[in-house]
Amino acid sequence: MAKKSKSKQEEDKQVEWPAVTSIARRKFGLSKFRPGQKELIECALTGKNSLGILPTGAGKSLCFQLPALMLPQNTVVVSPLIALMQDQQEKLAEVGIDAASVNSTLTDSEEASVRDAILDGDHKLIYVTPERLENEDYLEVLMEQGVSLLVIDEAHCVTQWGHDFRPAYLSIRTAREKLGKPPVMALTATATSEVVADILTQLAISDAEIVQFGIERKNLVFQVINTLSEAAKQEQISSLLNSLEGTGIIYTSTVKIAIELHQWLIAQDIRAGIYHGKLPVREREETQHAFMNDEIKVVVATKAFGLGINKPDVRYVIHYQFPDSVESYLQEAGRAGRDGQPAKAVLLYQLEDRRVQSYFLGGKYPTREQSRIIYEALLHTPDGHTLATLTEATGLAANKVKVVVAYLEGAGVVKKKRRFIIDKDFDSEKAFDEFLNAYEERHHSDRERLSQIMHYGQTMECRSQFLKRYFEEDVADPCGQCDNCVNVRDTATGATGILT
């Protein structure tokens, strides 16, 4: 009798739902599942790849935390931020679930202790950054115990950051191969069809079951305020903060603007904190603690703040400048009102802010010239290169080299043994041209996404309808509560309503 294929074996697996619901009730205090959770849990327990696109606050973490207690081997969770790992680890500890976290904050002795505990099988859940999966020693530790499920939390980072400043995201599929190709569960709050396609490609899970339950958050009120200058923005910020209850976040696109705005708020006697990637860890932790405990009214932050913040009662998110895309905007705005209570998402729109995002996009990807330099260096070095020697040989930034090499490896142009070498049995020149064309298409797509967030700022249609159309969802009736809907209603009735 022929051996069953993996897909057939997966079809034969059955989920013991009484046992699943018992653990959900006993460990997590849940009596029923939210939309999407059951489908993703079933994928995890039957060995299927999956991509879950569920709104912020929809309970994505349960989709892998619960199966981790039932799967025979470890569940490895790739997380973008140490703060996010620590937050989930603490919450799991509260319900008696012991999870390990492997990251750069550990001392040598702590790191050795965690490694020993993993080898002893003391942890069912192991949180790692993508960079840790590039470490051969850690992969060996994980392989020793085996991996039943590989989770990519905040999976939009694969496409948003992997091709830019965190190329380790592009190496996840290589690490997965070495771990024995365990099933993958990728999770995110927002993704267009283009982003979905890139996530599936970069993780090599084209057969993944896609579980999607829409972006709609009926408690979130969207508003755009047109401004012409920094002074006008400050005036709007002052007005908003004086009228809005509770705590919130103000996002800026640059560290410089964050610092200036924070200083201005302090001068206005507003209890404000600041958070950005260039701050010392201690200061970031102090800001986060003060925010979580309602000791400050607002945090001025770059996009470095948010993914690891589990504060359900954020009452407003204000964007001082528009971000690079509608996806980024909704991810960040969606951090307001996760408790289901009314919350606001406000964008201060100034046309000149396009220059900031255009500048970032200009340096985001390797250029054709940089890519060619890297390819030629590999092509003319038969013994191959390490990343360090390739960086030295080309004189290019290490991150640019890592991005190009990771992509070429994924495309089959480059193989890694002890060093990276060009695969002589491969039509490398053709594949390299395809690589260059793919990155040019990325440039074009990014410019189009920037145009769309500008369109969002300028449109007169219902904001919720715009967002649904952007994410290719069925467009229902106008929401009736965003600024454009209120303006239409007020025009019809002769009223003069304001959202603030």
Side-chain angles (χ1 to χ4, degrees):
M1 183 176 179
K3 185 179 179 181
K4 291 180 182 179
S5 66
K6 182 178 179 182
S7 60
K8 179 60 179 172
Q9 289 173 336
E10 289 170 354
E11 288 172 7
D12 289 347
K13 291 181 181 178
Q14 297 294 322
V15 176
E16 298 178 5
W17 284 110
V20 175
T21 53
S22 175
I23 292 174
R25 184 169 52 253
R26 179 164 42 87
K27 283 290 188 181
F28 300 96
L30 301 176
S31 58
K32 63 179 181 179
F33 294 110
R34 297 179 186 178
Q37 288 181 327
K38 193 170 183 179
E39 291 84 349
L40 287 166
I41 289 169
E42 182 169 17
C43 286
L45 293 176
T46 56
K48 298 175 183 175
N49 295 320
S50 61
L51 170 59
I53 307 168
L54 306 180
T56 303
K60 291 186 285 293
S61 297
L62 181 82
C63 299
F64 60 84
Q65 289 173 348
L66 193 156
L69 302 179
M70 303 183 69
L71 292 168
Q73 296 174 317
N74 291 325
T75 293
V76 176
V77 184
V78 182
S79 182
L81 295 177
I82 293 171
L84 183 56
M85 293 182 191
Q86 292 171 337
D87 178 72
Q88 293 198 14
Q89 196 174 5
E90 289 169 4
K91 284 181 167 45
L92 286 167
E94 291 173 3
V95 295
I97 299 173
D98 192 19
S101 180
V102 183
N103 60 66
S104 59
T105 66
L106 301 178
T107 64
D108 289 343
S109 61
E110 288 172 336
E111 197 167 311
S113 178
V114 170
R115 286 163 63 103
D116 290 343
I118 292 172
L119 287 170
D120 290 341
D122 293 344
H123 303 291
K124 296 291 286 181
L125 269 160
I126 303 168
Y127 288 85
V128 299
T129 58
E131 287 76 13
R132 287 286 161 164
L133 289 183
E134 293 182 305
N135 185 305
E136 295 289 342
D137 291 339
Y138 280 106
L139 285 177
E140 288 180 10
V141 171
L142 296 175
M143 285 187 284
E144 181 78 18
Q145 283 295 317
V147 177
S148 285
L149 181 65
L150 180 62
V151 179
I152 317 301
D153 200 9
E154 307 292 352
H156 59 280
C157 294
V158 171
T159 189
Q160 192 173 16
W161 294 352
H163 302 277
D164 187 7
F165 64 95
R166 292 189 74 176
Y169 271 105
L170 300 184
S171 301
I172 290 176
R173 63 177 169 190
T174 302
R176 181 189 173 220
E177 290 277 349
K178 294 177 180 178
L179 292 173
K181 293 188 69 174
V184 171
M185 178 186 291
L187 298 167
T188 185
T190 58
T192 61
S193 57
E194 185 179 17
V195 171
V196 166
D198 192 48
I199 291 172
L200 299 182
T201 297
Q202 299 308 327
L203 297 178
I205 52 169
S206 59
D207 62 342
E209 185 167 325
I210 298 174
V211 179
Q212 187 168 10
F213 275 84
I215 61 166
E216 188 169 27
R217 293 270 304 282
K218 292 183 182 297
N219 65 312
L220 200 54
V221 178
F222 293 97
Q223 179 182 8
V224 175
I225 301 175
N226 285 287
T227 57
L228 297 176
S229 65
E230 292 299 306
K233 284 187 178 183
Q234 290 177 352
E235 183 179 339
Q236 291 294 341
I237 289 290
S238 180
S239 175
L240 286 165
L241 294 184
N242 284 329
S243 61
L244 293 169
E245 299 292 332
T247 55
I249 306 169
I250 301 176
Y251 281 110
T252 68
S253 295
T254 68
V255 171
K256 179 176 181 291
I257 294 296
I259 293 171
E260 292 174 355
L261 180 57
H262 176 249
Q263 291 173 343
W264 180 82
L265 289 171
I266 295 298
Q268 305 303 306
D269 292 325
I270 294 172
R271 292 178 295 116
I274 185 168
Y275 193 109
H276 57 76
K278 294 184 179 180
L279 279 176
V281 173
R282 181 181 57 80
E283 292 185 32
R284 278 181 274 166
E285 289 177 346
E286 288 175 354
T287 297
Q288 181 174 331
H289 182 270
F291 181 69
M292 297 298 290
N293 290 280
D294 295 330
E295 295 169 9
I296 52 180
K297 180 174 178 62
V298 66
V299 173
V300 181
T302 61
K303 62 184 178 182
F305 185 77
L307 288 178
I309 308 303
N310 186 18
K311 185 174 174 60
D313 61 344
V314 174
R315 295 274 62 88
Y316 53 91
V317 169
I318 302 169
H319 278 78
Y320 195 77
Q321 298 157 300
F322 56 77
D324 60 357
S325 66
V326 176
E327 293 97 317
S328 294
Y329 179 71
L330 199 58
Q331 285 276 351
E332 292 161 4
R335 287 162 196 156
R338 290 178 60 181
D339 57 2
Q341 298 302 307
K344 290 199 63 174
V346 182
L347 170 64
L348 302 185
Y349 183 85
Q350 185 178 356
L351 185 61
E352 287 78 3
D353 288 340
R354 180 189 177 101
R355 289 179 298 178
V356 176
Q357 296 301 339
S358 295
Y359 173 79
F360 289 145
L361 290 182
K364 186 174 181 180
Y365 301 123
T367 64
R368 269 185 171 265
E369 292 74 19
Q370 290 170 334
S371 299
R372 172 61 69 177
I373 289 170
I374 294 167
Y375 174 71
E376 293 288 345
L378 287 166
L379 191 64
H380 296 112
T381 311
D383 294 335
H385 274 289
T386 65
L387 286 173
T389 62
L390 189 57
T391 300
E392 183 178 356
T394 59
L396 298 172
N399 263 10
K400 296 291 186 189
V401 173
K402 285 187 72 174
V403 167
V404 174
V405 170
Y407 199 97
L408 291 178
E409 186 181 13
V413 179
V414 168
K415 293 190 297 186
K416 184 182 181 183
K417 296 180 180 177
R418 284 189 310 157
R419 293 168 170 255
F420 292 101
I421 60 172
I422 295 289
D423 187 347
K424 300 300 183 183
D425 298 327
F426 200 82
D427 188 349
S428 60
E429 192 65 38
K430 178 183 177 183
F432 181 69
D433 285 340
E434 291 174 353
F435 157 78
L436 293 177
N437 292 335
Y439 264 103
E440 284 192 348
E441 181 60 32
R442 285 188 173 280
H443 273 291
H444 175 76
S445 297
D446 280 355
R447 287 192 293 269
E448 176 59 26
R449 279 194 286 271
L450 180 57
S451 295
Q452 286 298 315
I453 187 62
M454 295 181 68
H455 185 196
Y456 171 82
Q458 298 166 346
T459 187
M460 300 303 293
E461 74 171 309
C462 167
R463 306 282 178 198
S464 293
Q465 286 185 323
F466 179 97
L467 293 171
K468 284 187 175 183
R469 188 174 293 109
Y470 181 85
F471 287 103
E472 300 165 10
E473 295 185 10
D474 293 336
V475 179
D477 294 333
C479 70
Q481 61 184 11
C482 73
D483 56 339
N484 284 341
C485 285
V486 169
N487 289 337
V488 168
R489 185 173 65 243
D490 289 349
T491 300
T493 62
T496 56
I498 56 173
L499 289 171
T500 56

